[in-house]
Amino acid sequence: MITCDISEKTLHFYQPAGTSRGVYTTRRSWFVSLTDDERPGFVGVGECAPLPQLSCDDLPDYQDILRGFCEKVVRDGVLDTEALRPYPSMLFGLETAWRSLQARSVVIFDTPFTRGEVGIPINGLVWMGSYEEMMARMEEKMAAGFRCIKLKIGAIDFDHELDLIRRIRERFSEREVELRLDANGAFATDEALKRLDLLANYGIHSIEQPIRQGQWEEMAHICTASPIPIALDEELIGIHSLEEKAQLLDIIRPEYIILKPSLHGGITGTLEWISLAEQRGIGSWITSALESNVGLSAVAQLAAHAYGAPPLMPQGLGTGQLFADNVPMPMGLVGDRLFFYPQRL
């Protein structure tokens, strides 16, 4: 018989994490633990971590709904992924716990990454802040060995952000550092292309979600006209069925999609998005969504499984260093690569 336990934990950021939607100082997660009474001695753990005011399953009765799905797993002895589609953060946590329980290990995908043979290249993340703060963080990432940097923009004056990017390019060429931008939907629709034209002068690899989600026709036009490749992120939230996913990709036709399992359908849904994108010649990469190391480990393992180990494109897997009270996992950064250490299990 399967038994299930839910525990809640609040994680605390070392430094406030700024986005165009506000500033995070804490992060709330629910950890699901599954045990098999017929095979005692191991607990499969997964993390359910909705992002406030962003996740489609950020609900006031979140824990009650999660408990209901846990009771269903206990009652049925199987994980019903279809019923969980509208609740991607719950699905991701339960899938992680279920796969871990079946494998009797935190290793849920056997790859060269989880065998400790290769690391996954990741981008360095520079959070929103003042002009001086963002430049200092950029310098720190470059000194640490990162050659792909993601800048979150949209919180300070655009002219200041443009000047920051100009100064970065004066010091570091496109060959030395790949710049990815994330606007989190901060640009007004009527000003987006003008801003993209200005940013294009500085060799930008891609920009995530320049305008807010839900404006498919406007986003499709921007994807066609933009001098910078467009990546969708928030746009994918709340799109659950294969038919809806295919329709979105066919209408908007982005250059890339960026996948967060906690937001975009768990392990099952993320693999569906990747397959549909590949069929249409659309690129993708996977990022974490401010999970603890429990969620980060599962996201990293999924990236290695989906794209090969190591993936050719840097992934967004650097959140393991954000929290003062993170959960220990056998992972670590060496330069700009995330490694898994199976010998520490």
Side-chain angles (χ1 to χ4, degrees):
M1 178 179 175
I2 303 293
T3 57
C4 181
D5 180 64
I6 301 171
S7 61
E8 182 182 340
K9 181 177 176 65
T10 298
L11 302 164
H12 298 82
F13 286 87
Y14 281 115
Q15 296 178 334
T19 76
S20 60
R21 290 182 299 273
V23 178
Y24 293 115
T25 58
T26 60
R27 181 74 166 99
R28 196 178 179 191
S29 289
W30 285 264
F31 294 89
V32 174
S33 300
L34 297 179
T35 57
D36 186 343
D37 294 342
E38 296 181 2
R39 302 174 67 201
F42 183 81
V43 180
V45 179
E47 181 176 4
C48 304
L51 281 169
Q53 301 179 342
L54 181 61
S55 297
C56 61
D57 56 356
D58 174 35
L59 302 166
D61 53 348
Y62 185 90
Q63 186 163 322
D64 292 337
I65 296 172
L66 177 59
R67 183 178 293 109
F69 282 117
C70 288
E71 291 171 352
K72 181 174 172 59
V73 171
V74 170
R75 183 174 63 251
D76 298 345
V78 296
L79 180 62
D80 185 353
T81 57
E82 284 299 312
L84 279 155
R85 277 185 183 267
Y87 309 94
S89 67
M90 299 184 199
L91 174 57
F92 179 54
L94 281 165
E95 282 179 305
T96 302
W98 183 259
R99 286 173 175 265
S100 179
L101 180 64
Q102 301 308 304
R104 297 183 67 79
S105 171
V106 299
V107 175
I108 59 175
F109 292 105
D110 179 23
T111 66
F113 169 68
T114 53
R115 294 195 294 270
E117 298 168 5
V118 298
I120 297 176
I122 69 171
N123 62 249
L125 178 60
V126 175
W127 288 96
M128 288 181 176
S130 69
Y131 178 87
E132 292 76 16
E133 287 170 340
M134 292 181 73
M135 181 58 82
R137 291 167 187 166
M138 178 74 191
E139 295 279 1
E140 289 174 4
K141 294 298 181 184
M142 292 299 297
F146 287 92
R147 292 299 175 261
C148 176
I149 303 293
K150 174 178 170 178
L151 290 169
K152 282 189 171 285
I153 62 173
I156 62 176
D157 178 76
F158 178 73
D159 289 336
H160 280 92
E161 291 176 334
L162 197 64
D163 187 50
L164 171 68
I165 293 167
R166 177 187 61 78
R167 288 178 59 185
I168 291 170
R169 272 290 172 248
E170 286 176 351
R171 297 190 58 182
F172 306 106
S173 69
E174 290 182 55
R175 187 172 59 183
E176 291 173 300
V177 61
E178 178 181 286
L179 284 181
R180 298 174 177 176
L181 304 181
D182 184 1
N184 285 125
F187 296 168
T189 304
D190 58 358
E191 69 181 8
L193 284 173
K194 180 180 178 181
R195 291 190 170 188
L196 292 170
D197 284 338
L198 292 170
L199 290 166
N201 294 318
Y202 303 107
I204 306 301
H205 171 272
S206 57
I207 182 167
E208 295 179 41
Q209 205 68 42
I211 63 173
R212 62 179 174 80
Q213 67 265 41
Q215 306 175 87
W216 287 16
E217 291 185 8
E218 292 87 347
M219 186 68 85
H221 172 65
I222 289 172
C223 287
T224 300
S226 173
I228 299 173
I230 302 299
L232 302 185
D233 180 356
E234 288 93 338
E235 200 73 63
L236 312 180
I237 296 171
I239 308 298
H240 304 306
S241 72
L242 278 169
E243 293 76 18
E244 289 176 307
K245 292 173 181 178
Q247 183 184 32
L248 181 148
L249 295 177
D250 288 337
I251 290 174
I252 299 180
R253 286 283 172 176
E255 188 79 15
Y256 301 105
I257 58 174
I258 301 172
L259 297 161
K260 297 178 173 68
S262 289
L263 294 175
H264 301 137
I267 294 171
T268 301
T270 297
L271 292 173
E272 288 177 353
W273 277 115
I274 292 171
S275 177
L276 290 168
E278 287 178 345
Q279 292 167 23
R280 291 160 173 78
I282 296 169
S284 67
W285 63 88
I286 289 176
T287 81
S288 50
L290 304 181
E291 297 96 348
S292 77
N293 280 334
V294 173
L296 176 62
S297 171
V299 175
Q301 292 185 56
L302 176 58
H305 168 75
Y307 300 121
L312 295 178
M313 295 182 69
Q315 308 293 298
L317 305 174
T319 58
Q321 296 179 316
L322 287 180
F323 302 113
D325 44 6
N326 214 329
V327 181
M329 287 292 283
M331 299 183 300
L333 280 178
V334 179
D336 66 346
R337 290 183 178 252
L338 180 69
F339 281 86
F340 190 89
Y341 300 110
Q343 66 272 21
R344 298 180 185 175
L345 292 173

